[in-house]
Amino acid sequence: MVAVQGKDTKIMLRDVSIYYSALHVIKGVSMNFLDKEITAIIGPSGSGKSTLLRSLNRMNDHIAGMRVEGEANILGSNVYAPSVDVVALRRRVGMVFQKPNPFPKSIYDNVAYGPRLQGQKSKVELDGIVERSLTQAALWHEVKDRLHASGLALSGGQQQRLCIARALAVDPEVLLMDEPASALDPAATAKIEDLMLKLKEHLAVVVVTHNMQQAARVSDFTAFLLGGELVEFDITRKIFTAPTDKRTDDYISGRMG
Amino acid sequence: MRTKYQAREIACLLALFLTVLPPLAAVLYIFVQALPGISFEYIFSMPARRGIEGGILPAIVGTLWLMFGTTLAVLPIGVGAGIYLAEFAPNNRLTRLLEMALVNLAGVPSVVFGLFGYTIFVIMLGFGPSILSASLTLAALTLPLVVTATRQALYGVPMSFREASLSLGATRWQTVSTIIMPCARTGVVTGTLLALARAAGETAPILITGAAFALPNLPRSFMSRFMALPYHLYISVTQIPAMPPERMWATAGILLFLVLAMQVGATIWREQERRKKQW
């Protein structure tokens, strides 16, 4: 397995294991996530993709009996060290969820939510952040005349882009995307994929997907997870054309999963 | 077969009628009986000759004071406890014990709350027989209802809102105060209104914590003794043989109107908010 490395490593996992009580969900995963690259995590249902992703911004913390072993070094610090400020971590590691989940607030208030939490009160500043974030999320032109309409009045694809804009508004260095297009139609999915390619110019993107075509289309690196084990991790083209492990070959060619 | 099922359906329908019709008939009957006794004087003047003449203004005002005092006490504590249970409590034995205590507390007879209030507020804390003591007693009685209503309202807010907020770097408290509570507001307010409607009609808890049958003036402060509609009615019926029946019906009618207005108002408001809700 090629160890993916670069000087702009944003996340470095070393022998990370995750347990839910007695259940060993992630088994000794070691991998790096690079800046300005899209890393896809693929694998069949129940392989631990989402668990791994959500451990990167500690969104699993509330699950009773959850335990992490190994080192998850994110943006320079071990995120499971007791001294880590989870709130500060999540501001730097943003997340987009499977199902669009805008707040029942206006489009503007959705995007301004994160900056406001951090104490940003200036109307001028907030206006700027809202416009910039919506533009980055390729939604500005569709909503600029109705910023004060409810975020829930948008279509599914627009809602997901609103959620992306909301995550971008706090200026994260890493964006975690948990099957961000699985609830969307093909046209909306294509927009999200285009968007991901633009986003990686600024930050590290990690995307969990069960859609292999999507992984092949957008990602630079692909990790194949099976039963909580990292089977193979390499440049996406290599994973999809010349996988080294037979299980990877079986999965991408549809003989498994 | 078909007729057999139909017979069961009709039996259930009949059971429903038996449940709904008698109370409905009673309510109508009370209103009809109350009308002759209700007058401007009856509502807006002080009682005279041990309540046999004059009006019941102090009882109406006293009940409103009680509702106000109960709200002030029950809202922060009940909502706070509900928020803790729904959003912060760890899933452990102590939490489950507290939840169980809460459920059982709701089943404690109201006269027991009266004794509790008498012992704690009237005697031990030295508040004496007063609106304060009675309001705190009614607050204790309605607390489980408000806590439960708050919890239910909070559970009704989708988990995905919490996740989105936390993922944006909100603390759990910021998530509760900026996202969850605004979404749960309707449920909390209607739950509290329904609990207050229950409290408004209670007699036993105020019996020994400060209610008086007839007072010549309106309460001046939370430390005053007070008249209240249910207690006035209870004494009128049981202790004052000379009380004209239409005056008793009138008291009952006014109390019933107050309670129903709160319940119906809460229900209508909840339905309106529910229709506006987008999630």
Side-chain angles (χ1 to χ4, degrees):
Chain A
M1 184 187 304
V2 177
V4 171
Q5 266 187 338
K7 56 177 187 238
D8 288 332
T9 302
K10 286 284 174 183
I11 299 176
M12 193 175 76
L13 304 181
R14 286 294 168 268
D15 205 18
V16 169
S17 280
I18 303 178
Y19 300 84
Y20 291 147
S21 298
L23 215 62
H24 197 170
V25 189
I26 294 293
K27 296 168 183 163
V29 167
S30 297
M31 64 188 290
N32 290 350
F33 298 86
L34 302 188
D35 196 19
K36 299 185 169 51
E37 306 278 9
I38 298 178
T39 307
I41 303 174
I42 61 168
S45 300
S47 58
K49 304 184 296 284
S50 286
T51 296
L52 184 62
L53 187 80
R54 294 164 71 94
S55 71
L56 302 181
N57 63 346
R58 293 191 49 174
M59 288 299 285
N60 288 332
D61 281 14
H62 67 280
I63 297 171
M66 201 271 311
R67 206 168 82 247
V68 177
E69 284 172 7
E71 191 191 347
N73 193 303
I74 298 175
L75 307 169
S77 56
N78 187 355
V79 295
Y80 284 93
S83 61
V84 161
D85 178 352
V86 179
V87 167
L89 167 74
R90 290 185 184 139
R91 285 178 188 160
R92 300 174 69 194
V93 182
M95 188 162 217
V96 174
F97 298 83
Q98 186 169 0
K99 207 168 144 271
N101 56 357
F103 300 128
K105 292 171 178 285
S106 72
I107 294 168
Y108 186 100
D109 289 341
N110 263 283
V111 181
Y113 183 73
R116 277 176 176 150
L117 286 177
Q118 297 182 31
Q120 182 57 264
K121 290 194 182 76
S122 153
K123 174 97 170 68
V124 181
E125 287 286 328
L126 285 173
D127 285 354
I129 293 171
V130 169
E131 176 168 355
R132 194 191 66 227
S133 306
L134 285 169
T135 307
Q136 282 179 347
L139 188 60
W140 175 250
H141 290 289
E142 291 163 59
V143 300
K144 63 174 186 236
D145 299 322
R146 47 176 174 143
L147 290 176
H148 296 282
S150 168
L152 290 163
L154 299 172
S155 73
Q158 289 174 323
Q159 285 190 14
Q160 193 62 303
R161 278 179 282 145
L162 175 60
C163 292
I164 293 173
R166 185 176 63 185
L168 293 175
V170 292
D171 222 359
E173 294 168 57
V174 177
L175 189 62
L176 309 175
M177 306 180 94
D178 191 358
E179 303 192 26
S182 67
L184 306 178
D185 64 48
T189 300
K191 276 190 184 159
I192 299 283
E193 289 179 5
D194 285 347
L195 184 53
M196 289 165 72
L197 293 171
K198 288 204 187 76
L199 291 178
K200 78 163 189 178
E201 293 168 14
H202 310 287
L203 38 75
V205 177
V206 183
V207 59
V208 158
T209 178
H210 58 217
N211 178 338
M212 278 178 284
Q213 287 76 25
Q214 185 171 65
R217 277 193 300 264
V218 300
S219 72
D220 303 292
F221 298 95
T222 297
F224 172 53
L225 220 55
L226 183 65
E229 247 176 273
L230 181 61
V231 173
E232 194 163 353
F233 177 43
D234 214 322
I235 296 165
T236 297
R237 197 175 349 101
K238 175 128 190 314
I239 291 276
F240 283 96
T241 53
T244 30
D245 197 291
K246 183 167 182 309
R247 290 169 295 174
T248 314
D249 195 17
D250 285 349
Y251 182 68
I252 59 164
S253 55
R255 285 193 290 272
M256 175 199 355
Chain B
M1 280 310 268
R2 199 192 144 92
T3 48
K4 195 170 148 195
Y5 285 123
Q6 268 178 343
R8 286 175 193 179
E9 203 178 309
I10 290 166
C12 289
L13 183 66
L14 220 61
L16 178 65
F17 276 133
L18 280 175
T19 316
V20 177
L21 284 184
L24 208 62
V27 167
L28 280 176
Y29 184 74
I30 290 168
F31 281 138
V32 170
Q33 293 289 319
L35 273 179
I38 294 178
S39 62
F40 186 83
E41 195 210 352
Y42 189 70
I43 294 176
F44 290 105
S45 63
M46 304 293 163
R49 289 191 58 215
R50 296 207 72 209
I52 295 169
E53 287 172 9
I56 55 158
L57 181 64
I60 297 172
V61 173
T63 291
L64 294 178
W65 268 83
L66 282 180
M67 295 301 91
F68 179 60
T70 305
T71 309
L72 284 187
V74 81
L75 211 54
I77 301 175
V79 172
I83 288 176
Y84 182 79
L85 276 177
E87 303 291 332
F88 297 98
N91 182 16
N92 60 21
R93 208 169 291 166
L94 179 67
T95 305
R96 281 193 289 278
L97 198 72
L98 286 170
E99 284 175 345
M100 210 167 70
L102 200 69
V103 171
N104 287 304
L105 212 55
V108 171
S110 59
V111 66
V112 176
F113 276 101
L115 286 169
F116 164 81
Y118 178 75
T119 313
I120 303 291
F121 304 126
V122 179
I123 306 294
M124 276 176 69
L125 293 176
F127 297 153
S130 60
I131 295 179
L132 181 62
S133 295
S135 295
L136 292 175
T137 307
L138 288 174
L141 176 86
T142 46
L143 211 43
L145 304 176
V146 174
V147 176
T148 306
T150 304
R151 274 177 72 197
Q152 293 307 328
L154 291 171
Y155 286 151
V157 180
M159 204 59 206
S160 64
F161 290 177
R162 290 179 185 82
E163 289 196 320
S165 175
L166 291 174
S167 79
L168 290 163
T171 62
R172 283 166 87 187
W173 178 250
Q174 285 173 325
T175 301
V176 169
S177 61
T178 58
I179 302 290
I180 311 301
M181 274 314 279
C183 291
R185 197 193 56 204
T186 312
V188 172
V189 173
T190 50
T192 306
L193 272 174
L194 294 176
L196 285 176
R198 156 107 200 267
E202 283 291 345
T203 311
I206 59 172
L207 193 69
I208 48 179
T209 53
F213 167 63
L215 291 170
N217 38 38
L218 299 178
R220 292 216 182 82
S221 76
F222 275 119
M223 300 317 287
S224 308
R225 293 203 66 165
F226 59 93
M227 285 178 71
L229 290 165
Y231 183 73
H232 184 77
L233 178 63
Y234 168 66
I235 298 296
S236 300
V237 174
T238 57
Q239 311 288 319
I240 318 287
M243 182 66 78
E246 71 270 15
R247 293 178 68 85
M248 297 192 248
W249 286 116
T251 309
I254 291 168
L255 175 61
L256 200 57
F257 176 78
L258 197 78
V259 171
L260 284 180
M262 287 168 82
Q263 288 181 339
V264 172
T267 312
I268 290 175
W269 188 61
R270 181 175 58 199
E271 287 311 309
Q272 275 177 345
E273 291 291 311
R274 197 171 278 170
R275 226 165 291 144
K276 269 191 274 173
K277 189 170 97 170
Q278 299 160 302
W279 38 272

